[in-house]
Amino acid sequence: MSARVIDFTMSEDQLWTDHRRHIPSVDVVVHDMGSSVDRWGHDQVSSAVRRVLAQARADLKEGRTAEISIAALRQCAEAALQEAGRPTLRPAINLTGTVLHTNLGRAWLPQEAVRVVVAAARSCTTLEFDLETGERGERDNHVESLICELTGAEAATVVNNNAAAVLLTLNTLAMNREVPTSRGELVEIGGSFRIPEIMTASGCRLVEIGTTNRTHLGDYEAAITADTALLMKVHTSNYRIDGFTHAVEEIDLAVLAHQHGLPLVVDMGSDNLVDFARFGLPLEPTVLATVSMGADVVTFSGDKLLGGPQCGVITGRKDLIAMIRKNPLKWALRLDKMSLVALVEVLRLYRSPASLRDRLPTLRLLTRPVTEIKAQAERLLPQLSEAVGSCYQVGIAACRSQVGSGALCPVQPS
Ligand SMILES: *Cc1c(COP(=O)(O)O)cnc(C)c1O
């Protein structure tokens, strides 16, 4: 019988004191948890038990529970220990319809790349070692010629992500100087990358020109002063202004920049190495086309359309890339060995465009026919219904997919 039934004349305080006597001590519960102590250690187990006891006390006091058993306390403490040891960063299933989802880790690596990542993770590599000369090497050497072959650029270097690529480029080429940029291109991508803010962080001075919807060549020309470091063009990856608009093409901007002895820097964001129109995706300029239009430096991500690891690629003129490489920030922003080997493997796939769709998961996912997506949904439906239980209704509905990560504007699967 519970205390409440034995004597209903007891005051609340007396009742509480009475309950408290039945709560075992920390030591008694810990003593009962031998195998957990072996696994997690005495300190961790005691602290979990202390938390569980505090909760039990509160539950008793508030009347949420009438009785507490040692077995129940032990179970709660064990569950708390399991939960605390569970990583929060874990595999997920992407059912969002956004293929390159920044919050879900963007591109999946192809098998070829996964294999070399594992090998690089578990042994030494020639990361910064030149086997020919037996001397210290450059990590860029493993990837530069491949990038140049695919983009037509003279030189290339890689860093941790494209935000770092933009930061490093501007810091090297425009520190304390002016960079005229169209108001229509002062974009925010993915919530924390904003062109004006990255420009300030790089130490250059943004000179806003034109308007949100229209910027002309004359606006750039009027903004050029003795303090101008370079002309900048940013790909407005994730949004589009329709209607009464005008932007200056790279080709015209390059001519103007070169007339004034200035480099043209283009932040492409997304990383089109092949013409995606051949796979039924919207036509977007390739890096190769942008380089051939006269851009002196082009930056792009490795884990957007390119379908590789997180990284930022800086391609362009040999003298400018050499300056960028010498910047002390380059070391601070360097690409790690696992991403580097993955990038090399993914770029190697691009040398055989005919088999690219079969081997590159990003491209395979982006070009899946609707019938295939529907068949998969039908296959998954019963399992998903079972997994989420009877509280949820699971059904198949048509929706629009998008590439995501600011890579191309929304597109419908063909
Ligand atoms: C995505 C994007 C970036 C940022 O690249 P991260 O790889 O996310 O660092 C910068 N500029 C443009 C235009 C982009 O689309």
Side-chain angles (χ1 to χ4, degrees):
M1 276 199 284
S2 83
R4 216 178 264 274
V5 180
I6 291 168
D7 182 1
F8 67 88
T9 61
M10 263 188 178
S11 74
E12 279 296 310
D13 270 358
Q14 279 171 311
L15 196 64
W16 166 232
T17 312
D18 192 52
H19 272 318
R20 214 153 33 173
R21 266 186 237 118
H22 300 296
I23 294 183
S25 72
V26 174
D27 285 344
V28 168
V29 184
V30 171
H31 183 74
D32 207 39
M33 293 177 66
S35 62
S36 293
V37 174
D38 289 345
R39 178 161 179 204
W40 311 101
H42 188 273
D43 289 354
Q44 263 197 89
V45 174
S46 310
S47 106
V49 168
R50 225 169 272 124
R51 281 197 304 275
V52 167
L53 287 176
Q55 184 63 47
R57 245 174 250 123
D59 286 349
L60 279 175
K61 190 169 185 181
E62 305 295 329
R64 282 192 293 266
T65 183
E67 237 164 310
I68 301 272
S69 72
I70 293 192
L73 289 168
R74 195 185 58 214
Q75 237 173 30
C76 287
E78 259 154 21
L81 285 161
Q82 293 281 359
E83 186 55 36
R86 197 164 171 228
T88 52
L89 179 58
R90 38 180 120 120
I93 298 172
N94 179 1
L95 300 176
T96 61
T98 299
V99 176
L100 293 167
H101 201 299
T102 299
N103 309 136
L104 294 174
R106 290 193 188 160
W108 306 353
L109 292 180
Q111 266 315 313
E112 288 85 348
V114 172
R115 223 169 288 131
V116 294
V117 168
V118 172
R122 56 162 36 141
S123 75
C124 291
T125 65
T126 55
L127 182 62
E128 291 180 0
F129 202 82
D130 188 333
L131 287 175
E132 298 280 306
T133 63
E135 287 173 8
R136 199 196 146 143
E138 254 282 345
R139 59 180 77 199
D140 279 352
N141 289 351
H142 304 293
V143 77
E144 184 174 19
S145 60
L146 255 175
I147 297 172
C148 292
E149 178 192 319
L150 295 166
T151 61
E154 287 174 14
T157 183
V158 285
V159 286
N160 217 338
N161 49 57
N162 188 40
V166 175
L167 178 80
L168 184 64
T169 300
L170 292 174
N171 180 265
T172 308
L173 305 177
M175 174 92 158
N176 295 327
R177 297 178 65 200
E178 293 173 357
V179 178
T181 310
S182 166
R183 288 193 170 96
E185 296 173 8
L186 301 178
V187 293
E188 171 180 298
I189 288 152
S192 31
F193 178 85
R194 298 171 130 195
I195 287 291
E197 286 168 17
I198 206 87
M199 291 179 90
T200 305
S202 76
C204 75
R205 287 202 301 280
L206 164 64
V207 178
E208 293 184 21
I209 60 165
T211 60
T212 306
N213 57 332
R214 288 171 74 84
T215 300
H216 306 272
L217 195 63
D219 294 322
Y220 286 93
E221 198 157 20
I224 295 174
T225 70
D227 249 2
T228 305
L230 52 90
L231 295 187
M232 171 97 179
K233 185 148 178 77
V234 181
H235 195 263
T236 57
S237 326
N238 55 358
Y239 89 116
R240 189 158 292 161
I241 300 178
D242 286 326
F244 189 54
T245 65
H246 184 79
V248 182
E249 298 292 331
E250 276 88 347
I251 198 157
D252 301 321
L253 211 48
V255 170
L256 177 69
H258 300 160
Q259 276 168 1
H260 291 267
L262 301 171
L264 171 64
V265 172
V266 179
D267 173 21
M268 285 196 69
S270 191
D271 33 30
N272 310 354
L273 289 185
V274 289
D275 182 2
F276 281 94
R278 68 186 278 179
F279 301 107
L281 293 166
L283 186 66
E284 286 282 321
T286 59
V287 180
L288 184 80
T290 307
V291 169
S292 67
M293 278 189 269
D296 300 284
V297 176
V298 179
T299 62
F300 55 93
S301 292
D303 55 352
K304 291 186 182 171
L305 278 177
L306 196 139
Q310 179 191 302
C311 65
V313 180
I314 311 174
T315 54
R317 249 166 58 192
K318 220 180 180 109
D319 58 328
L320 301 177
I321 298 296
M323 284 166 70
I324 288 168
R325 210 175 262 142
K326 276 201 212 106
N327 187 327
L329 273 181
K330 168 66 176 30
W331 185 250
L333 303 171
R334 78 190 182 278
L335 189 60
D336 78 285
K337 63 179 180 183
M338 286 184 277
S339 302
L340 183 60
V341 291
L343 178 64
V344 171
E345 260 349 272
V346 171
L347 291 176
R348 274 157 48 96
L349 296 183
Y350 275 86
R351 301 182 80 193
S352 323
S355 61
L356 195 60
R357 189 190 207 144
D358 291 332
R359 294 163 83 185
L360 199 65
T362 299
L363 194 54
R364 213 168 46 230
L365 290 171
L366 286 174
T367 56
R368 265 196 322 170
V370 170
T371 50
E372 206 179 287
I373 299 173
K374 189 153 183 269
Q376 188 188 35
E378 279 160 3
R379 237 176 15 253
L380 285 173
L381 185 67
Q383 296 166 53
L384 191 62
S385 300
E386 200 185 314
V388 297
S390 57
C391 296
Y392 294 87
Q393 233 184 0
V394 184
I396 296 173
C399 65
R400 284 177 82 94
S401 305
Q402 58 173 359
V403 180
S405 290
L408 302 183
C409 270
V411 56
Q412 205 160 21
S414 53

